[in-house]
Amino acid sequence: MLRFASLGSGSKGNATVVSGGTTTVLIDCGFSVRETRRRLALLGLAPEDLSAILVTHEHSDHSAGVSRLARQWNIPVYLTHGTLRSGRLEGCPQVTCFNSEERLQIGDLSIEPVAVPHDAREPCQYRLAHAGRSLGVLTDLGSITSHVVERFRGCDALVLEFNHDLDMLWAGSYPPSLKQRVASDWGHLNNHQAAELLRQLGTETLQHLVVAHISEQNNCPQRAAAALETVMGAGDQRVVFAAQNAGFDWLTLAAVPGQGEALQ
């Protein structure tokens, strides 16, 4: 089976765990080593269980704990050339750089990095597959592109950013330059953009949808849910909301009988 969970999701730190077969990877680590260990333990894991760390980009809420965690447990780190050149992930003991769109095989997981529009050196998001099932992790992008739609269509589960509500952002306490950055085509998806992206991707194949990376200052679950309901209706049991302080617990995709591990 393919299963996944989160240690936390938001501007104070992000980390997603994905496990398939005998392989477990951590996507990003924006927490201290101590906090990462504590949150992993809540999921029944320890750093020793991690086969690799995949990095989406160099922003601190996604990368702050990567180097220390990797050094302490000698965990391989995978990231784009641009992310490495940012200088914010120095000291990792085992580094593999890849080009976006270059498919990876890490143990039992097939992994496709997908380039996204975000204000980082060479950001990417990931689609992962095992046993005929696929999971898309899609946060930290400022606009919808046909490339993103093509690469993430048909997932069995999706972790999708609903970062901000535009009205709350413009009325909030951020300085004007930061508001412009968040709302730009290279910033983050607002609720209505996320709903529109989901509409373009389609929801027919989804077993799980995680509403993620919700801004604590510029959004709230109620406004994200209202936008989501325009696509999936009210009370859809497939929907889970990720939290900053606790992420979300394990969600599982059962293997497709007779299927291998290649990306769909």
Side-chain angles (χ1 to χ4, degrees), residues 89-238:
L89 289 114
E90 296 178 348
C92 298
Q94 302 180 59
V95 174
T96 299
C97 288
F98 56 81
N99 298 312
S100 293
E101 317 310 318
E102 179 182 344
R103 295 192 178 192
L104 310 170
Q105 187 72 38
I106 301 177
D108 295 324
L109 289 173
S110 298
I111 301 165
E112 180 181 1
V114 180
V116 294
H118 192 54
D119 59 349
R121 290 292 185 94
E122 191 183 354
C124 70
Q125 296 293 302
Y126 294 100
R127 180 168 175 165
L128 307 94
H130 170 72
R133 298 297 188 189
S134 63
L135 161 69
V137 178
L138 185 52
T139 66
D140 291 76
L141 69 163
S143 53
I144 301 169
T145 67
S146 58
H147 179 72
V148 166
V149 173
E150 178 186 349
R151 290 294 186 268
F152 284 93
R153 184 175 282 136
C155 288
D156 298 290
L158 185 64
V159 179
L160 180 61
E161 167 176 78
F162 280 69
N163 178 256
H164 61 279
D165 173 83
L166 271 177
D167 290 338
M168 290 181 68
L169 175 67
W170 296 130
S173 60
Y174 279 10
S177 60
L178 182 54
K179 291 179 181 181
Q180 292 289 346
R181 178 184 172 194
V182 170
S184 76
D185 285 348
W186 300 90
H188 292 273
L189 294 182
N190 64 53
N191 292 334
H192 296 293
Q193 286 175 305
E196 175 56 29
L197 175 54
L198 187 60
R199 183 179 289 108
Q200 292 187 34
L201 291 174
T203 63
E204 296 82 6
T205 64
L206 287 179
Q207 296 182 35
H208 302 292
L209 172 71
V210 178
V211 178
H213 216 309
I214 299 173
S215 172
E216 293 183 298
Q217 293 191 46
N218 303 309
N219 205 1
C220 63
Q222 293 78 10
R223 294 203 180 197
L228 178 61
E229 286 174 9
T230 65
V231 182
M232 296 184 69
D236 194 307
Q237 296 301 305
R238 296 174 293 173

Side-chain angles (χ1 to χ4, degrees), residues 12 25 39 68 172:
K12 295 178 182 176
V25 300
R39 295 185 184 217
R68 291 187 181 91

